[in-house]
Amino acid sequence: MTTMATAAPARASQTWYQILYVQVLIAIVIGVIVGWLWPSVATNDWVKALGDGFIKLIKMVIAPIIFCTVASGIAHIQDARKVGRVGVKALVYFEIVSSFALVLGLVIGNLVQIGHGLAVKPDAAAVANYVKQAEASKTVDFVLNIIPETVVGALARGDVLQVLLFAILFGFSLMALGERGKGLRGMIDDVAHAVFGVIAIIMKAAPIGAFGAMAFTIGKFGPSALGNLIGLIALFYATAAVFVVVVLGLIARIVGFSIFKFIVYIKDELLIVLGTSSSESALPQLMEKLERLGCSKPVVGLVVPTGYSFNLDGTNIYMTLATLFIAQALGVDLTFGQQLTILLVAMLTSKGASGVTGAGFITLAATLSVVSPALVPGMAIVFSIDKFMSEVRALTNITGNGIAAVFVSWWEGELDHATLHARLKQPTDSTNIDTRSTRR
């Protein structure tokens, strides 16, 4: 593995209010205040459009970034078997870590039974649409949906798995072309650099997007939506924190770095996710940062996009924890066999939940309908607070996928430890992407 990079030009040191994560944090705080004190203003369509618009801007560039990164990364690999090896290692990692997330949620849900005695009457009508979507989802449909009807359609819709499939095939084709494909590989690299430049421009609007999304959330749902469900929110937050610090922290320690330093390194992306409740909103710049961290470009290109469908640790924790909470609230005693079924079913239903707001709720409906149909109406109990839960789901998901890319790079023997430790000591700002640098 070689590194081709041009040093970024020296720039004047930034004042505190020019730093992206500070701007996003301030915007989130202002959004909370506006949503709390002036809910009628915060729920205005134009305020909501600020958050939705920013997410759409990011989604606009996800498909070309994934295509260029994956296709170029594979095309530069000399051994075709390496791609399959990396893919197998990534899937093995995903399944093991996802199992830990599911088991942790199940253990905490049994130890801290906050659902008992909850006086809430479920309204099945409120969640009927999610139940209908869950019933319509079949495993075979998910597999077939990975294959796009047309390449243009996949790119236009921004379907991550469909774009990833075509990018892998295109990368193999470029690899087979050898020297004849050199010019096309160079062009794809140049396009990727240009798109990263677009991302750098879009990121200037991150504080505005975070403000709009957070103001609308608080304005619409507000503190009153929390009610006596605050215990579930707090428990979920605490469980996710334990997973990140203990499970992901142990994985990071095996590789040889601190999970806390890694979190600081991706703080910009985490705050954007916090503001927008969507882990996809930070996907492109996460991939770029992981490459700068010393991870192999082909590994990042394969692991991160795939992880957005197969490595959703936050969603896994949420499903087991919420299922037990609903059962406790409805007074339904789940047997050991039923709880084991939760693990098995959740492992399947979590696949394809992309981390976008609402996806976790749909997968919860699918899980409940299989475990026990009597639990499905209980989804309405957690419906009002799902928006507050989705933020932590997305934060945990993006952190887990970042660690996955670093671990698989280390497992593959393609992690630059010197660069890793140097970057973690001096975290960089996502607003200053060096579009002239690329890792081969």
Side-chain angles (χ1 to χ4, degrees):
M1 179 183 67
T2 60
T3 302
M4 297 178 62
T6 305
R11 63 178 186 272
S13 60
Q14 295 178 305
T15 53
W16 65 272
Y17 56 83
Q18 292 177 309
I19 301 174
L20 179 65
Y21 77 86
V22 174
Q23 294 175 350
V24 173
L25 188 58
I26 293 174
I28 290 174
V29 172
I30 295 175
V32 170
I33 294 174
V34 171
W36 179 29
L37 299 180
W38 299 285
S40 59
V41 174
T43 52
N44 183 279
D45 289 343
W46 286 103
V47 174
K48 183 177 184 293
L50 295 177
D52 292 345
F54 175 74
I55 294 176
K56 289 185 70 175
L57 284 171
I58 292 294
K59 285 186 175 181
M60 174 181 70
V61 295
I62 287 178
I65 279 295
I66 290 177
F67 172 76
C68 292
T69 302
V70 175
S72 174
I74 293 175
H76 284 289
I77 297 174
Q78 301 300 318
D79 184 6
R81 291 174 298 180
K82 175 182 174 181
V83 179
R85 188 171 65 245
V86 170
V88 170
K89 287 181 178 179
L91 290 176
V92 169
Y93 173 91
F94 293 161
E95 295 308 309
I96 292 175
V97 177
S98 294
S99 297
F100 274 109
L102 289 167
V103 171
L104 179 63
L106 206 59
V107 170
I108 297 297
N110 278 292
L111 291 178
V112 187
Q113 301 187 6
I114 58 174
H116 283 306
L118 186 64
V120 178
K121 186 177 180 180
D123 179 12
V127 297
N129 185 49
Y130 292 96
V131 175
K132 186 180 297 184
Q133 292 183 59
E135 290 174 346
S137 300
K138 298 179 181 178
T139 303
V140 66
D141 294 331
F142 169 72
V143 174
L144 287 176
N145 191 52
I146 296 176
I147 305 172
E149 293 184 8
T150 65
V151 174
V152 175
L155 290 169
R157 290 190 304 273
D159 191 303
V160 173
L161 285 182
Q162 291 184 354
V163 173
L164 181 62
L165 174 63
F166 176 68
I168 291 173
L169 296 176
F170 195 86
F172 275 117
S173 177
L174 276 180
M175 182 195 302
L177 284 176
E179 281 300 310
R180 287 186 298 164
K182 184 177 180 181
L184 185 53
R185 286 195 297 269
M187 186 177 71
I188 291 176
D189 287 340
D190 290 339
V191 171
H193 296 158
V195 177
F196 274 122
V198 173
I199 294 170
I201 297 172
I202 294 174
M203 292 308 297
K204 303 293 184 183
I208 298 174
F211 163 77
M214 188 58 68
F216 179 79
T217 297
I218 300 299
K220 182 176 181 179
F221 300 100
S224 60
L226 305 182
N228 52 5
L229 299 178
I230 192 69
L232 176 59
I233 297 176
L235 184 62
F236 179 51
Y237 279 41
T239 306
V242 169
F243 176 81
V244 170
V245 173
V246 177
V247 179
L248 297 184
L250 178 60
I251 295 171
R253 182 54 56 193
I254 292 173
V255 177
F257 66 97
S258 167
I259 184 65
F260 299 106
K261 288 185 178 180
F262 181 80
I263 291 173
V264 172
Y265 179 73
I266 62 169
K267 61 183 179 299
D268 296 346
E269 290 69 37
L270 292 176
L271 284 172
I272 292 168
V273 168
L274 178 64
T276 62
S277 298
S278 170
S279 51
E280 281 193 348
S281 61
L283 185 150
Q285 59 268 34
L286 174 67
M287 293 175 68
E288 194 276 340
K289 269 196 167 182
L290 288 170
E291 288 181 34
R292 282 193 282 148
L293 191 61
C295 296
S296 165
K297 181 176 180 178
V299 171
V300 171
L302 286 171
V303 173
V304 177
T306 308
Y308 268 66
S309 286
F310 291 92
N311 186 42
L312 301 174
D313 301 322
T315 303
N316 287 328
I317 295 172
Y318 168 77
M319 284 195 292
T320 49
L321 202 59
T323 299
L324 288 180
F325 176 82
I326 290 171
Q328 293 161 8
L330 295 178
V332 177
D333 293 324
L334 297 177
T335 64
F336 176 78
Q338 287 177 310
Q339 295 198 29
L340 185 60
T341 301
I342 295 175
L343 293 179
L344 298 176
V345 173
M347 184 66 75
L348 295 174
T349 56
S350 64
K351 303 298 184 284
S354 61
V356 179
T357 303
F361 206 58
I362 295 171
T363 56
L364 175 62
T367 304
L368 292 176
S369 62
V370 174
V371 174
S372 175
L375 298 177
V376 175
M379 286 178 59
I381 299 175
V382 298
F383 180 73
S384 61
I385 60 169
D386 183 69
K387 186 65 175 67
F388 297 94
M389 311 274 272
S390 68
E391 279 139 5
V392 175
R393 285 201 300 264
L395 286 170
T396 309
N397 290 342
I398 189 173
T399 305
N401 282 320
I403 295 295
V406 178
F407 183 85
V408 176
S409 289
W410 169 79
W411 191 1
E412 187 66 12
E414 295 194 354
L415 178 64
D416 188 333
H417 286 272
T419 301
L420 172 71
H421 294 294
R423 290 290 187 184
L424 292 182
K425 287 181 181 177
Q426 297 179 329
T428 52
D429 191 343
S430 290
T431 58
N432 295 290
I433 296 174
D434 181 8
T435 59
R436 297 169 300 171
S437 302
T438 182
R439 296 187 62 83
R440 301 300 188 198

